[in-house]
Amino acid sequence: MRRIPATLSVAALLAITTACSSLSPPGKEAAAQARLTDMRPVRDGGTVTIGLKSDPDMLDPSLTATLVARTVFSSMCEQLYDVDQDNKFVPQLAASMPKITDGGRTFTFDVRKDARFSDGARLDAAAVKTSLDRHLHLRGSGRASEIDSVQQVTAIGPYTVRLSLSHPDVPLLGRLANTAGLIMSPKALKKYGRDFATHPSCVAPFKYDKRVVGDRIELTKDPLYYDADKVHLDRVIYKTITDGNIRMANIRSGDVQIGDQMGPVEVRNSLGEKDLQLLNTPSLGYMALTLNVGNANGIAEDPGPVDTPFGRDVRVREAFDLSLDRELINKLVFQGMYEPACGPVPPGTPLSTPLTCPKRDVAKAERLLKEAGVKTPVPLELMINTTPDDSRMGQVIQAMAADAGFEVTLRPTEFATGLTRTLAGDFEARTGGWGGQPDPAGNIDSLVGTKGSNNQGKISDPTIDRLIVEGRSTSDVAERREIYRKLTVAINKQHGVIYLYRNINYVSASKDVSGIKLSGDGLIKVKEAGYTKASR
């Protein structure tokens, strides 16, 4: 276990912040040099290597739980709908936007007639039904709670699908433009079953070739793809490089052409380099600290009692929340390039409301611990990812919490191992991010609803559950905005998910590559990417 040195107190952190305050604001400087895409003419052929911040989990749309897997899926597995660079929903494997009838209880849409899966199977309504049924009913599916309003999936024609819902579900379209809308080959599902992840087959510009777990995933251009004439690259390789400095060094050396989820330090140090380009978008997601308050038996089971001070008493959780200074975390760890966050709804979106994050209050935190009758210092093991940014953030949290009467032990854990432990309930607290969706329901329902398939800490609150249902049931923007304001208050009152900051999606890339697109949800898309005609 690693601990922050005892001499590094919050006072010392403040001194560091003061020393750094003379630096120019890097966020504005980076934004001025960044863009969403670059569409210079490109030539056919070549391989692009994309450096990932962490190793993806299973390449199975029903079972995956990571943003990096979604990044890989953006090249090898298309979904029914997509999110464009303006955060608008557009058809992808669906042929049109859905027709919503019966008071919002029926979604009907057509699917493309010109698409084939990489194994040769044809995309049709029956194939879509097979995938959606699997998302709904496969044990352990992370999609089940995301589309749990769907009672029945029916192929009412060769290329027409009808979803019959138990209740109106306005955010459903957003989920079908996310992982729940990923469609898999029925031929591969029948042949491989739960082993689909090692033999994935979808409709996409590139198809799965091979994987070396912990190192790389290799894809090749799929000649069966319906839009193959727009695909220029021969191969795409996703390589796991957890250290941002090493990802950047690999871009500079030419071993990697695109760096995903680049950190502020690396971005700042690379500004102005003539051989690099920078793309960015504001994040629709968040980074949070999740406390285990009810995950006693694994995420697939009902919430159960967790016999820790944090699991037993909300006052202990509130005290921990009050010990943290979000502004200082942003300054110290990310050089002020991110934004403090204290809720799941992306700011600047139609359903957001102004939100003022609580200030650090050590005195109140100490009073709450005294009222709770717990012995101090209160121990907490905090699982963090094995990256420099996560290490710095863990150390800052550790120092801040110590002032209020907590003894935080940091547990650096490789990403996939940490995810496995989290899903099993084998953790006290962990830091982690959520990639985000334009509709706030995608950032809330499955993550804090009692039956949510991504509710890692197993929060269970009837007020939250009731408001989740209300948020799904009306399309009135003003009503939904007020519901999600109340939901944010209710979630924060539980102090089980402590929202810390909202990042900016930074992607660094070689100037030799053009046609990279960065979508509003932060995914790198290389369907039309290639090497510029001027490059060798």
Side-chain angles (χ1 to χ4, degrees):
M1 303 290 182
R2 283 191 290 161
R3 285 185 169 85
I4 189 170
T7 56
L8 188 53
S9 63
V10 171
L13 297 176
L14 287 168
I16 295 172
T17 304
T18 302
C20 294
S21 63
S22 61
L23 298 174
S24 61
K28 294 180 180 179
E29 186 180 359
Q33 298 192 27
R35 51 183 175 268
L36 293 176
T37 189
D38 170 24
M39 297 303 293
R40 291 169 290 160
V42 298
R43 56 183 170 83
D44 289 336
T47 298
V48 158
T49 299
I50 301 174
L52 298 177
K53 183 179 179 180
S54 55
D55 198 42
D57 60 346
M58 290 177 286
L59 296 180
D60 184 323
S62 297
L63 300 174
T64 186
T66 63
L67 176 62
V68 282
R70 284 196 63 214
T71 297
V72 177
F73 284 136
S74 70
S75 292
M76 61 163 279
C77 201
E78 290 192 341
Q79 49 210 28
L80 290 169
Y81 295 93
D82 199 12
V83 177
D84 68 12
Q85 291 168 289
D86 297 318
N87 292 328
K88 295 180 180 178
F89 299 120
V90 293
Q92 192 171 65
L93 292 183
S96 61
M97 299 300 286
K99 182 180 180 181
I100 303 173
T101 56
D102 190 26
R105 290 179 171 81
T106 302
F107 270 50
T108 306
F109 57 90
D110 293 329
V111 299
R112 302 186 68 103
K113 298 180 180 180
D114 57 351
R116 287 186 177 273
F117 296 95
S118 61
D119 61 4
R122 184 176 293 280
L123 175 75
D124 56 15
V128 171
K129 172 177 168 57
T130 297
S131 283
L132 294 182
D133 281 343
R134 186 176 189 267
H135 289 331
L136 281 165
H137 304 302
L138 182 69
R139 180 170 176 77
S141 170
R143 315 286 76 81
S145 68
E146 295 175 359
I147 54 173
D148 60 1
S149 62
V150 179
Q151 284 189 315
Q152 186 174 9
V153 183
T154 308
I156 60 174
Y159 294 96
T160 304
V161 178
R162 182 175 63 210
L163 306 182
S164 302
L165 312 185
S166 58
H167 55 78
D169 189 358
V170 175
L172 180 60
L173 176 59
R175 299 189 182 98
L176 297 179
N178 204 274
T179 317
L182 293 171
I183 304 301
M184 300 158 279
S185 165
K187 179 179 175 181
L189 289 174
K190 183 177 180 180
K191 183 175 182 180
Y192 300 110
R194 288 190 72 97
D195 292 329
F196 177 86
T198 57
H199 306 85
S201 175
C202 299
V203 176
F206 301 91
K207 61 180 179 179
Y208 178 84
D209 183 11
K210 63 181 178 180
R211 178 177 191 177
V212 179
V213 175
D215 181 55
R216 65 179 57 209
I217 297 167
E218 299 187 15
L219 311 180
T220 59
K221 180 177 178 179
D222 186 357
L224 298 178
Y225 182 55
Y226 62 86
D227 230 2
D229 60 333
K230 293 183 180 179
V231 181
H232 303 287
L233 294 168
D234 293 329
R235 294 171 62 79
V236 177
I237 297 174
Y238 291 90
K239 186 169 179 61
T240 301
I241 306 174
T242 58
D243 190 309
N245 287 312
I246 297 176
R247 285 203 302 283
M248 184 62 75
N250 274 261
I251 297 172
R252 291 186 177 113
S253 70
D255 293 328
V256 167
Q257 286 71 49
I258 303 171
D260 185 31
Q261 296 187 66
M262 299 304 296
V265 175
E266 296 81 47
V267 169
R268 181 172 199 154
N269 291 340
S270 68
L271 291 177
E273 294 189 30
K274 63 182 180 61
D275 293 328
L276 300 181
Q277 59 178 310
L278 177 66
L279 296 86
N280 75 11
T281 60
S283 174
L284 294 171
Y286 56 79
M287 175 64 74
L289 189 152
T290 298
L291 294 163
N292 188 352
V293 301
N295 191 351
N297 303 302
I299 198 166
E301 305 300 328
D302 291 336
V306 174
D307 191 20
T308 67
F310 291 87
R312 291 191 298 265
D313 199 322
V314 69
R315 290 172 294 185
V316 177
R317 304 197 294 271
E318 182 180 1
F320 188 83
D321 194 346
L322 288 169
S323 76
L324 304 180
D325 186 328
R326 291 166 173 81
E327 291 279 358
L328 188 54
I329 290 172
N330 181 39
K331 290 178 181 178
L332 283 172
V333 183
F334 306 110
Q335 299 191 7
M337 290 180 75
Y338 291 162
E339 291 292 334
C342 44
V345 182
T349 54
L351 299 181
S352 66
T353 53
L355 192 62
T356 301
C357 292
K359 298 295 184 182
R360 186 174 193 243
D361 192 337
V362 172
K364 183 176 180 180
E366 291 175 330
R367 288 198 302 271
L368 287 168
L369 291 181
K370 186 175 182 180
E371 291 172 8
V374 294
K375 181 181 178 181
T376 58
V378 182
L380 179 70
E381 181 183 272
L382 175 60
M383 187 161 55
I384 59 174
N385 295 325
T386 55
T387 70
D389 281 352
D390 286 285
S391 178
R392 288 194 297 270
M393 183 169 66
Q395 291 176 355
V396 172
I397 290 172
Q398 188 181 53
M400 290 178 175
D403 283 354
F406 295 93
E407 184 178 31
V408 177
T409 299
L410 300 180
R411 174 118 183 192
T413 307
E414 188 273 326
F415 182 75
T417 302
L419 181 61
T420 299
R421 284 188 56 192
T422 299
L423 297 180
D426 181 22
F427 77 107
E428 292 183 5
R430 71 160 298 175
T431 56
W434 181 252
Q437 298 179 26
D439 192 298
N443 292 0
I444 294 174
D445 297 11
S446 75
L447 292 121
V448 293
T450 296
K451 299 293 185 180
S453 49
N454 294 302
N455 185 351
Q456 296 178 348
K458 301 301 284 187
I459 292 175
S460 181
D461 181 342
T463 298
I464 292 175
D465 293 341
R466 174 179 57 79
L467 289 169
I468 284 175
V469 173
E470 290 181 10
R472 293 178 175 185
S473 304
T474 177
S475 59
D476 183 271
V477 172
E479 288 182 18
R480 293 194 76 208
R481 186 184 299 118
E482 176 62 13
I483 290 167
Y484 288 112
R485 185 195 66 78
K486 291 178 180 178
L487 254 172
T488 299
V489 171
I491 296 166
N492 286 339
K493 188 176 180 180
Q494 286 294 321
H495 302 281
V497 177
I498 299 174
Y499 303 98
L500 296 175
Y501 65 88
R502 186 163 280 106
N503 68 331
I504 294 175
N505 301 307
Y506 288 115
V507 170
S508 296
S510 166
K511 271 284 181 67
D512 288 343
V513 180
S514 181
I516 306 166
K517 292 184 179 180
L518 185 61
S519 66
D521 52 3
L523 298 183
I524 299 171
K525 299 182 179 181
V526 293
K527 170 182 172 178
E528 298 179 45
Y531 287 93
T532 60
K533 292 184 177 181
S535 63
R536 292 184 294 173

